[in-house]
Amino acid sequence: MWYVIEGYDGNDVLERRMQARAEHLARLVALRDQGRLLLAGPCPAIDSEDPGPAGFSGSVVIAEFESLEAARAWADADPYVAAGVYERVQVRPFRKVLP
């Protein structure tokens, strides 16, 4: 089943985000290579593709896992969690309809 994972950035975490980014992306690439990633990306803190020093308000990942517990475990192991980038993470089942 698909799950949406939403990570919400804390305040003033852009530097920590950038330091943990390579490890974070490597995990997403692994999901993609396994055919389990629908989409992933950050949410700019301002209305701009490149928010610069404003940074990001969080991230969204939609990926396939065998269970909600497995999705939560994967989310809890994210480098952004370990680095203190995300102040909270929400994981919910997702049903893809379109396209």
Side-chain angles (χ1 to χ4, degrees), residues 3-8 59 61 72 75 88-92:
Y3 295 88
V4 59
I5 299 168
E6 296 176 277
Y8 297 87
S59 304
V61 174
R72 284 184 177 145
R88 70 183 173 95
V89 177
Q90 183 176 15
V91 181
R92 296 177 289 153

Side-chain angles (χ1 to χ4, degrees), residues 36-61:
R36 297 173 44 207
L37 182 65
L38 184 62
L39 67 87
C43 302
I46 61 173
D47 190 14
S48 174
E49 282 278 324
D50 180 3
F56 300 90
S57 62
S59 304
V60 175
V61 174

